[in-house]
Amino acid sequence: MVAVAGILVIVGVIIAIDVPSLLRKKEKKELLVFFILLLIGTSLSIAQALHIKIPNPVDWITVIYQPLSDLIETLLK
């Protein structure tokens, strides 16, 4: 639980540093992208701190391309 609190403190510091300059420059799209990426990163960090299994993107790619790989392998035998 201490790790989650530490992550949230760091996120708060990041917001305090970056958001005021984005608001002064009136960069609304950049602010939206900043918060989306920060939310994704924070969520993954908290999940890892809580020892929740996070799926690997390479596994998804393997599932997608495995049938194609099997087809090519059977054609080449």
Side-chain angles (χ1 to χ4, degrees), residues 42-56:
T42 304
S43 302
L44 289 173
S45 297
I46 290 173
Q48 187 173 11
L50 294 175
H51 303 290
I52 297 172
K53 188 173 192 270
I54 302 169
N56 188 349

Side-chain angles (χ1 to χ4, degrees), residues 10-61:
I10 292 171
V11 167
V13 170
I14 291 171
I15 290 172
I17 292 171
D18 289 334
V19 170
S21 66
L22 290 173
L23 288 175
R24 266 194 307 271
K25 296 176 185 175
K26 297 182 181 180
E27 296 177 343
K28 302 290 184 193
K29 292 179 185 177
E30 287 82 358
L31 192 62
L32 177 65
V33 171
F34 171 79
F35 276 118
I36 289 171
L37 292 175
L38 188 64
L39 178 67
I40 292 170
T42 304
S43 302
L44 289 173
S45 297
I46 290 173
Q48 187 173 11
L50 294 175
H51 303 290
I52 297 172
K53 188 173 192 270
I54 302 169
N56 188 349
V58 175
D59 295 337
W60 299 346
I61 294 170

Side-chain angles (χ1 to χ4, degrees), residues 57-69:
V58 175
D59 295 337
W60 299 346
I61 294 170
T62 303
V63 168
I64 292 171
Y65 285 109
Q66 189 64 43
L68 181 63
S69 173

